[in-house]
Each structure stands twice: as structure tokens, then as C-alpha cells.
Amino acid sequence: MRILIIGAGNAGRHLAAKLSEERHDIVIVDRDEAALNEVASQLDIQTVSGEGSSPRVLEKAGLTKADLVVAVTDRDEVNILACAFAHAAGVPHQVARVSNPDFLHAHAKFDLGKMGIDLVISQKEECADEIYTVLRMPGTLEAVDVLEGRVLAVGIKVHMDSPMVLQTLKDFPRPDLLQKIRLIGLMRADELLIPKGETQLMIGDDIYFCGKPADVNEFLEWASPEHERFEKVIIAGGGDLGLQLAQRLEKTDTPVVLIERDTGRAEACSLVLDRALVIKGDALDQETLENAGVVHGSAFVAVTGSDENNIMICLLAEKAGAAFTLAQVTRPEYVPIISSLSLLDRAVSSHMSMINAILHFVRGKNVRAAALLHKLPGELLEVVLAEGHRWADKPVRGLRIPAGVMIATVLRGDEILPPTGEQVLRVGDRLVLFTLPTAVGRVEDLFKG
């Protein structure tokens, strides 16, 4: 597929890296020569210098030959205009990143879909959804929704007091739980292991599994009994991301405190929020943290505009007694560094959250992205079992599944089915597959018909 990316910032660069791994033909456009040179030095892709909304520049970039245009600059108008030109030129699909909520929640007569834009995506809304999912499940390394929220993909760390320590899967102390959830991957230091019957779980392992939300919660209560629901969530940063997260949390019964240092913005947040307490102050200031009431059972989320400030704020909050700290970072490469140094409980990249959603448009109709996890190499792919497919009407244990691929869950109608060996797959089943990076092409070949 030929993909034209408008914008060579963090989002565009990491999206290009992900797509070029899969042998797509990538062209990236930006007016910043330095950004283009950096991308060109790292990836084997074509670069074009110029304004992404200029018809002349788009024509130079081969717009009419593109199968997909993804506009991810930090200027909404440029992204929208580039996609509008792409639609006029006959490009099959367009994706536009926007920041202004007016473009996302406009009246139907102003719907950007009428301009031919297939996906209008907000990086901040996607990130707010991801953080909210993590906060509602204490003790998780990360958690993402799959199959419209019917299934959760979750990662947790095996602690020394966990009942899973030194247990093998074939002799697991709670086999009833393994019938409900599916272990898909295990990170031991920097090594990815695919769980098998003989796999023994060790202290410090990060294990990832899929299941229905109720089953996932049951497993978490058994595997991580020390983690209780947060008594309070404190958010540092009252920008769009912080405000959207606070609005989501207000719908629960968890007390919420929002810290914003700008007086005008703090007042604006206070007018929008109903139950949350808004404090005007600097989260890097000890007195502000004391006023926010950081207690042992509280979660602290830093979503200011500075990666470095977010990390420092979380460190101060942890010292003040916060039970859980999460920092939003702009640069995705910070996530594994923060994780390996154990600086914070969690780091979330807003760009990675957005890339997750964009990948849905890249796979094609037979293989779609379900989720891209921050710490687990590989991804979750969604496929539909078509009439005549060689997996149809066969039990899972009798399938010839490509190396590096595992069936994570099965959706039949509205029913989630565990992919046990005896489970017979039927035409129309929606499968979620955990796939190593090297096996993505095999999955696409298997379901391309």
C-alpha cells in the first residue's frame, strides 16, 4: 500500500516507522527540513519538503498514486485541507488528526466525513480513554479495549507475594481462571516469551492476557490481591487531555482533583466540571500537592505540556505518598526508558494511543488492528472468518497456526468465547490474534482472500 503521511513530527515519524516495518510504500511531507532529514536517516522512505496543504507539494509527493493519506501535523486546518484535497484527487481513504473539540463534536451539517475524511481522530481523546482504562484497573501495567470494549487486553507484573510465582501453566493453581482468560505474552527482562504449558512464572515477569472485563477483574483480584481501588485520582494539568480525563472520571464515584497553574484555564475547567475539585497551583510545588490531598490510596496522573515536568511531578507525588503514578509523554521512546528504570508506575504516549486508532485503517478490510501495546512487542489483530476459510468448522487444537501467532479471543455474535483447544471456529467469528512483528505478514496472507 502507498501511504502519504503529512507531518514528520513525533506522530508522523513513529507511524512511518511502524508502517515501513511492514513493507508499505511511505512518503512523508513536512515543511521542516531538519525533521525530514532525521526521518530519512532512520527509515527507507521518500520525503518531500513543503506545506502539507499545498496542492503543488501534494502533487509532487504523488498524491494521486496514494491509497491512504494520513495528516498528523499539529495544525488542524492543514490536516483537514490536505485530506479534502486527497478526497478530491480520488484517494480511497483519508485520516485527519485534530485537536480542536469543535471539529470532533460539531453539528451534523458540519461533519468532516462529508468532506471525504474517513477518520477524524483526536490524540488527546484517545489518550484520555487509555489512561481512564488503566485507572479503573489498579495494578495493571497497561490495559486496552478490544472488540468495542467487550474484551480487555491487560498487562500485570508478577510480584513476590503473588500466588502465580513459580507456577507453571499446566499445573496452574486456578485452572478455572485460565478457562476464562487467555495468556498471550510474557516479558522477562527484555525477552518476549510465548506462554506454554511448561512456562514457569517468575518474580518480575510482565504477563499479558485477554478476557471479558468481569473475568479480567476476577483474575486480577486473585493474582494481585494487594491492589485496591484508588481512593482518589489527582490530575496535574488542566489542558484538553486533563479536562477530558477528569470528565470521564466524574462519571464514576471516585473523587477527582484537578491541578492547573493558569488562573484562566483553572476557572474554565471549574465551569465545565461538576464534581471534581479544581486547584489553581503548580504541581511541582510541595504546598500544592499537600492542598490536593495526596494520600496513600491515591493515583496521581501528570498530563501537563512538558514530558520532563510530568516525570518530575510524578516523582514528587510518589514521595508524597501516592500509590500509583502515571505520566503522559509526547515522545514514545521515553516509555521503555521510564519502564526499564522503574521511575514511575506507568508512562503513556499520546502519540502511541493515536497510532493505535490509525492502524485500524491500514490493515484493510480482512485484517484490522485491534490494539498496539506499549511494552509488549507485536500487536493484536482482528480478523473475520470468511466462508470457505481453512480454519472454519475446525477446533482450535487442529489448526495450522503460523509461528508467532496466537488466538487471543473469539467473538461469535455477542458472545465472547475462550479459544480453548476444543473450541470449534465458525464462519463469521471475529478473532483477535496476538501477533509478533515478524508474523504480521503471515496473518495478512492467511486472511487476504
Side-chain angles (χ1 to χ4, degrees):
M1 182 185 293
R2 184 177 176 87
I3 302 173
L4 176 57
I5 299 175
I6 313 297
N10 280 318
R13 186 172 72 252
H14 285 87
L15 182 61
K18 179 66 181 172
L19 296 174
S20 63
E21 286 177 3
E22 298 165 16
R23 308 298 182 188
H24 292 289
D25 185 9
I26 308 297
V27 181
I28 193 163
V29 175
D30 201 289
R31 61 181 181 177
D32 186 339
E33 289 276 5
L36 290 178
N37 290 336
E38 182 180 355
V39 173
S41 68
Q42 298 170 350
L43 305 172
D44 183 18
I45 62 175
Q46 180 184 346
T47 63
V48 176
S49 177
E51 185 63 72
S53 58
S54 163
R56 178 185 59 79
V57 173
L58 291 172
E59 186 175 8
K60 182 181 177 182
L63 177 65
T64 56
K65 301 176 184 177
D67 300 298
L68 169 68
V69 169
V70 182
V72 289
T73 75
D74 56 4
R75 292 171 294 159
D76 292 357
E77 293 77 8
V78 170
N79 296 338
I80 293 169
L81 193 54
C83 286
F85 283 140
H87 176 65
V91 177
H93 299 291
Q94 297 82 33
V95 175
R97 166 193 177 185
V98 300
S99 300
N100 189 338
D102 290 347
F103 289 127
L104 286 165
H105 309 294
H107 188 276
K109 65 182 179 182
F110 300 120
D111 183 6
L112 293 178
K114 294 179 180 178
M115 299 173 64
I117 303 176
D118 297 289
L119 176 65
V120 180
I121 186 169
S122 165
Q123 177 174 310
K124 293 173 182 176
E125 285 203 356
E126 294 295 330
C127 191
D129 285 339
E130 180 177 353
I131 296 173
Y132 174 72
T133 302
V134 170
L135 290 175
R136 75 185 190 190
M137 307 188 73
T140 60
L141 297 169
E142 55 184 317
V144 295
D145 287 322
V146 181
L147 296 173
E148 298 85 38
R150 295 183 179 93
V151 171
L152 285 171
V154 175
I156 62 172
K157 186 173 289 292
V158 178
H159 294 287
M160 63 183 300
D161 54 353
S162 171
M164 297 186 292
V165 173
L166 300 180
Q167 301 293 335
T168 61
L169 299 188
K170 67 179 181 180
D171 297 319
F172 206 68
R174 288 291 304 274
D176 58 310
L177 292 178
L178 290 186
Q179 292 294 315
K180 298 177 182 179
I181 60 102
R182 176 75 159 176
L183 268 67
I184 58 173
L186 185 155
M187 290 298 296
R188 182 166 294 162
D190 294 326
E191 182 183 7
L192 171 62
L193 304 175
I194 301 298
K196 298 179 180 178
E198 297 76 23
T199 302
Q200 188 177 53
L201 301 179
M202 310 292 288
I203 296 172
D205 286 349
D206 294 341
I207 63 169
Y208 285 78
F209 54 94
C210 289
K212 292 187 290 186
D215 294 335
V216 166
N217 280 319
E218 183 182 1
F219 185 85
L220 287 173
E221 287 175 5
W222 173 78
S224 304
E226 72 278 10
H227 293 290
E228 299 179 354
R229 221 183 80 187
F230 299 125
E231 295 179 14
K232 178 193 295 185
V233 176
I234 303 169
I235 304 168
D240 290 339
L241 174 54
L243 179 58
Q244 289 171 23
L245 179 59
Q247 288 176 306
R248 285 161 173 75
L249 289 167
E250 275 196 325
K251 297 175 183 177
T252 71
D253 57 359
T254 304
V256 181
V257 177
L258 179 67
I259 301 172
E260 169 56 43
R261 66 180 181 181
D262 181 79
T263 302
R265 182 62 185 178
E267 292 175 352
C269 290
S270 182
L271 291 174
V272 172
L273 296 171
D274 295 322
R275 294 174 41 245
L277 171 65
V278 179
I279 295 177
K280 191 270 176 184
D282 188 344
L284 284 169
D285 181 67
Q286 189 68 36
E287 184 179 351
T288 301
L289 293 181
E290 291 175 1
N291 291 336
V294 179
V295 295
H296 178 68
S298 61
F300 199 100
V301 179
V303 290
T304 73
S306 166
D307 289 0
E308 291 75 17
N309 281 354
N310 288 342
I311 295 169
M312 287 300 301
I313 289 169
C314 283
L315 292 174
L316 290 173
E318 184 177 33
K319 185 178 179 181
F324 176 85
T325 55
L326 183 151
Q328 180 264 327
V329 294
T330 304
R331 299 174 67 90
E333 55 266 30
Y334 278 10
V335 174
I337 296 172
I338 292 170
S339 176
S340 64
L341 295 176
S342 300
L343 290 175
L344 316 172
D345 292 299
R346 184 78 169 84
V348 169
S349 163
S350 54
H351 291 305
M352 192 69 76
S353 303
M354 182 177 66
I355 288 171
N356 245 341
I358 291 174
L359 284 173
H360 280 266
F361 269 79
V362 178
R363 300 294 183 200
K365 66 177 183 179
N366 296 321
V367 180
R368 299 176 66 84
L372 185 67
L373 296 158
H374 288 266
K375 296 181 63 179
L376 191 67
E379 58 187 284
L380 293 163
L381 302 177
E382 180 190 325
V383 300
V384 177
L385 213 56
E387 186 78 41
H389 194 277
R390 67 190 191 202
W391 285 8
D393 301 319
K394 292 183 180 179
V396 170
R397 70 169 68 256
L399 302 179
R400 294 178 60 188
I401 301 176
V405 178
M406 174 186 290
I407 302 177
T409 194
V410 180
L411 174 64
R412 182 173 299 159
D414 290 325
E415 184 180 6
I416 296 295
L417 304 174
T420 57
E422 295 74 26
Q423 185 64 250
V424 177
L425 302 182
R426 304 297 186 193
V427 171
D429 285 352
R430 291 169 66 185
L431 314 180
V432 175
L433 311 176
F434 174 66
T435 309
L436 297 182
T438 54
V440 170
R442 299 189 196 114
V443 172
E444 291 179 332
D445 290 341
L446 184 61
F447 288 90
K448 67 182 177 181

